[in-house]
Amino acid sequence: MKMGRVLTAVWVLSSALAAVVVWGRAGGGEGYGGGLSGEGGNGSFGGGGGEGDVLGFILFLLFRHPLIGIPLLVAFYFLVVRGHSFVQDHRMSSTIVRGIQRQNRDRLIQVFNQFRVRDPGFDPVKLQDRIRTAFLKSQEAWTQQNLEPVRPFVSDGLFEQWHIQFQAHQRMGQKNIVADLRVTGVDIVGAEQTPFFDVVHAKIKAVGVDQWVSLKTGQVVNGKDDPKPFCEYWTFLRRP
């Protein structure tokens, strides 16, 4: 295997670890591409990304594709275990954080204005509503292990990744379900425009029950039935 492939895989893992690692949920690590029509515009925002089930997926690769799984496991250790200690030791002051947030808001306004040059109907509030809808639909598709309802919005790579994970879960004799899901907030935390894509990064806060059930008995084998809050970061793309 070429070293470039290993480095690419490690980069993808480091991106996935931007949020708290969890064991389930679509978009909580399984990834999602959401088709979000630009209001009055030309094209659609489609998402990629999702944080969670990282360790489970690495272990699957470790046994099936050790040349990929081993470096990913090493990267997981340094990025999570060692990285957590590093972050704790290098906290930024609240003044610096507020300054960065101000810069981010100014940057967002600037990029949104750029979006409107190519799409005069672009509306970030309506985009947030579409992100909320895409998130809920993806979680339902993940729970049902049926990607057809969201297939038009999912990239080929993410579709294949979900399919592989569903197969792995079936071999385990288990299924991950998300119930009582409620989105509590959608914040656009970043945006950029390139010659090829309009890009939006969204922070999605939600509450839900995340459990694993036996495919044979339907009984819960892992996870409690009380809803818990969680947060995920998704990236949405559209061609200009």
Side-chain angles (χ1 to χ4, degrees), residues 139-164:
Q139 300 295 340
E140 177 65 20
W142 175 261
T143 294
Q144 299 299 326
Q145 292 195 350
N146 177 17
L147 301 183
E148 290 307 314
V150 296
R151 184 63 185 97
F153 313 133
V154 181
S155 69
D156 292 340
L158 290 173
F159 181 86
E160 181 64 22
Q161 180 180 328
W162 274 27
H163 185 65
I164 291 174

Side-chain angles (χ1 to χ4, degrees), residues 20 27 29 35 38 41 53-54 68 139 160 205 213 231:
V20 177
D53 203 13
V54 175
I68 299 176
Q139 300 295 340
E160 181 64 22
K205 293 177 287 187
V213 300
C231 175

Side-chain angles (χ1 to χ4, degrees), residues 26 76-77 83-84 109 115 137 142 148-149 174 204 214 218:
F76 179 87
Y77 170 78
H84 177 73
I109 293 173
F115 285 173
K137 285 184 177 180
W142 175 261
E148 290 307 314
Q174 297 180 8
I204 304 172
S214 168

